[in-house]
Structure formats: structure tokens, C-alpha cells
Amino acid sequence: MKKSSLRTVKEKNRRLILRALLTEGGLSRIELAKQTGLSPSTITALVGELLAEGVVQESGLRAATAGRSRAGLTICPDYGRVVVVDIGRSHAVLYLYDMALQCVFRTVLPDHGGDGNELLTSISDAIFQGFSMEELHAGKMKSIGLLFQDDTEISEFRVMYSTGYTAATISLREALFTQFKVPIVEEYSRVYTVSRALAEAGKSVGSNYAHIDLGDRAVVQIVQKEQPVALRSEGQADITGLLLPEGGSLLELAQNFEVAPPAQQAAALKNTQSPVSCFTVRLSNVARLLCSLFVIEKLYLSGPAAASPAFMRGVVQKLKSPEMRPVVLNPDPVHTPAFMATDLRQSLLCSTDA
């Protein structure tokens, strides 16, 4: 067998071990062999390498059969840290997580006012505050995650980059990679909050669905065969103008409906000229259009406006039809940075390039 083939097999086996430890820490070598299907000798050799590299550590003794004890293995917290920056329209918070997913550093960044250059400077300053120069040179910072809130667009944060000879406008992601040379991941908060809400509710996302985030803006995402469809802006499309062509705030509409007496709510839904009724009709039309263009098994609705129960009951009532099964989600975004840190760690330790 060629050396390249042997290396590929070895990397695959390492990933099997690491995935098992990420799923359930404290496993012994014997348990790893059972879970991964690898031979005890292969486990012993690869675990020895991972221990030497500081990726895993022995976490103590566990009871074993035949009265023997065995050392449990876990991911070593000190192997490195991942950075997550939670970015809103004017605010941002930077977190550092170790490999045990413990938050070891947190700082609120100065108001950036939506300016990419100011945000880049704040992130860089915070990283130098959270890491010593020795740690950075030793590669302790493994990756950076940029988590954009629903009131932002990734494309908004551009950075003026100059080499001294030429200048160009580049993305925040490109600017951070140029400076720190670590993998940079960009994602929207709604991706994590929705997926976590589905998991916590015990529901299957399915391979074909539409998700509409109802906040200050209404944004739609389409997934086909478990893959997001490339829409107009970073895999999503802003449909606010279709739902509120006359302008106004969707969130304000939902909140006003929520505080109205039940009799007024019922009247507003029956009155075809009321703002709420017009919105639900337009949303129903958009949903039907999506069903005609894509295979839609379920329609998920989430966002700040979806947190208004009475408003969403009226919306869902209008949306119900044989081809649509609307599901309202109310995910909690508080732990979203930790969710992203989990994915960064998984990618770092178990990707095909690891």
C-alpha cells in the first residue's frame, strides 16, 4: 500500500477516535475499540500519538470488567481555543472557548457602528487581550467564528486593506485570515437557533424545507436534500418588501396584535383590509409560491415576531393547507455562541484536513 494511502487510512482512524471522544468523553481504549471497530493495537498507537500531541488527555480511572481499571480519555482543554464573535448591528461580543467548550474569556467590544474597519480593530485588540503572544505563536488559537445576528448582513462589514502599494476593499473574514492565518467561519445566528430548536423539540428537520425568519426583516432560506439553495444573498433572500410593500415594522405589527383584546384580534383577522390580514395573505401567497418552485415538506417560522403566540396562531391558521405544514419555532439565542464553538471544535478535530 502506498504511503499516501496509509496516511489517508490513519487520518480516517484518528477522526473516528476523536468523534467518539467528542460524542462521549471519558472512554477507555477498550471502549474506543468497541465503538470505532478499530483493533486494540491501532487504538493504542493512535491514542499514543494524540496524547503526545496534547490533543487528548487521560481523565482518570474507570471501572472495567474482570476487576481491572482503565484510564478514560477526553479532549484536552488546553490543546487550543476557538474564538467566537457575536456580531449585531452596532454591538459585538467576543468569546474564547477551550477544547472542553468552557468559556475562558469574554469581552464586549466597543460600538462599531456597522463599520468593518472599526470592528476588525476591536476584534484584533480583544484577541491580543485574550491570548499572550507566546500562545499565538504556538498556534493555540485554532479558528475564529463570526456569528452574525439577524439584523446584520455579512456583506455589510467590508474592510479597507492596504499593502502600501495598492488598496482594496475586502471582507471581514478575509481581513482576519490575512492577519491571523487561521480558519474563519461565517454564519448567521438563525442557523443555529433554528437547528437547536428543532433538535430540542425532537423533530426531524427533513431534507426539504423552507425557513422564514420574521424579525425586523423577513428572510427566507430554502433547503433541498439537506443542502441550502443559493439565493440572492448568502443563501437567503429578503422578502420583507413582498410581505409589507407599504413599509412599516413587522415586529411592531406582531406586538400590537399581541396586546389587543381577543375580540379585536378576531376582527382584525376577519377584516381583509387590516394590516394583519393583509400580511397573512401575502405570507400565504409567498409560501405557496415556494411550494410551486421547490419541494417543501415543512415550512418553519421563527424570529422575534414568531415569539408572539396570538399573532402566530392567526398566521398559522391562514397558512394551513394540504401542501403546507407550518411549524412555529421559538429558539433561545442565549447559548448560540457556544453552539458555534461546538461546531468549530468538531471541524477542527474531525475535518478531512485535520
Side-chain angles (χ1 to χ4, degrees):
M1 186 180 292
K2 294 181 179 180
K3 287 186 178 180
S4 59
S5 299
L6 289 173
R7 190 181 306 113
T8 300
V9 171
K10 181 178 178 180
E11 291 173 351
K12 179 182 177 181
N13 291 340
R14 280 172 60 106
R15 293 195 296 271
L16 286 174
I17 293 172
L18 291 170
R19 285 195 185 98
L21 291 177
L22 289 175
T23 303
E24 184 180 353
L27 296 175
S28 69
R29 291 165 176 79
I30 294 175
E31 290 168 325
L32 280 172
K34 290 179 179 179
Q35 288 209 14
T36 62
L38 300 175
S39 67
S41 60
T42 298
I43 291 291
T44 298
L46 292 179
V47 165
E49 290 184 6
L50 292 169
L51 285 168
E53 295 169 14
V55 181
V56 302
Q57 65 180 12
E58 293 186 338
S59 58
L61 298 179
R62 294 164 55 96
T65 57
R68 301 177 63 187
S69 11
R70 58 199 180 200
L73 298 162
T74 60
I75 303 299
C76 182
D78 295 331
Y79 175 62
R81 299 174 187 172
V82 296
V83 178
V84 177
V85 189
D86 192 0
I87 301 170
R89 174 69 62 182
S90 60
H91 73 284
V93 182
L94 183 141
Y95 303 84
L96 296 187
Y97 292 90
D98 64 18
M99 288 294 105
L101 298 180
Q102 297 297 311
C103 183
V104 296
F105 179 78
R106 176 187 182 277
T107 184
V108 178
L109 305 183
D111 188 339
H112 56 73
D115 183 272
N117 286 85
E118 291 188 11
L119 181 57
L120 173 64
T121 299
S122 297
I123 292 174
S124 300
D125 290 345
I127 288 174
F128 289 124
Q129 183 182 353
F131 290 92
S132 67
M133 292 305 297
E134 291 77 11
E135 288 174 325
L136 289 174
H137 288 312
K140 288 296 184 180
M141 183 170 69
K142 299 299 185 181
S143 61
I144 300 174
L146 302 178
L147 183 64
F148 293 87
Q149 294 299 316
D150 295 347
D151 62 349
T152 63
E153 289 284 350
I154 292 175
S155 57
E156 293 176 0
F157 296 93
R158 306 292 294 177
V159 174
M160 182 60 70
Y161 177 75
S162 175
T163 64
Y165 298 98
T166 60
T169 301
I170 61 176
S171 68
L172 178 62
R173 176 181 178 277
E174 292 169 326
L176 285 168
F177 179 78
T178 299
Q179 184 167 357
F180 294 105
K181 299 298 190 296
V182 297
I184 314 289
V185 177
E186 297 174 313
E187 194 53 270
Y188 285 99
S189 176
R190 69 177 68 90
V191 172
Y192 288 100
T193 54
V194 171
S195 62
R196 292 287 170 167
L198 289 169
E200 291 169 4
K203 299 169 183 172
S204 173
V205 176
S207 60
N208 304 296
Y209 67 90
H211 168 234
I212 301 178
D213 184 84
L214 301 172
D216 292 331
R217 297 172 294 121
V219 180
V220 63
Q221 178 191 32
I222 305 294
V223 172
Q224 298 286 277
K225 296 181 179 180
E226 301 183 353
Q227 296 298 320
V229 175
L231 299 177
R232 295 188 62 182
S233 174
E234 289 110 7
Q236 58 187 0
D238 191 325
I239 58 172
T240 310
L242 297 176
L243 303 181
L244 298 172
E246 66 281 355
S249 168
L250 172 56
L251 187 56
E252 184 178 344
L253 176 66
Q255 292 172 342
N256 290 340
F257 183 86
E258 193 69 26
V259 299
Q264 291 185 18
Q265 292 177 356
L269 290 172
K270 290 180 180 179
N271 181 2
T272 57
Q273 302 302 315
S274 72
V276 169
S277 183
C278 290
F279 168 79
T280 56
V281 168
R282 291 165 186 154
L283 181 59
S284 180
N285 290 337
V286 168
R288 288 189 175 87
L289 176 62
L290 294 176
C291 288
S292 68
L293 296 174
F294 304 97
V295 178
I296 304 296
E297 297 167 353
K298 280 189 179 181
L299 171 66
Y300 294 104
L301 305 173
S302 71
S308 301
F311 177 71
M312 293 313 297
R313 279 196 298 270
V315 170
V316 170
Q317 182 180 355
K318 292 277 188 179
L319 284 174
K320 280 184 177 178
S321 65
E323 69 270 21
M324 278 185 292
R325 291 181 291 163
V327 177
V328 179
L329 303 171
N330 290 305
D332 181 3
V334 173
H335 303 296
T336 307
F339 297 155
M340 188 175 208
T342 302
D343 285 353
L344 292 175
R345 183 182 71 162
Q346 175 84 14
S347 178
L348 168 69
L349 296 176
C350 301
S351 71
T352 55
D353 297 326

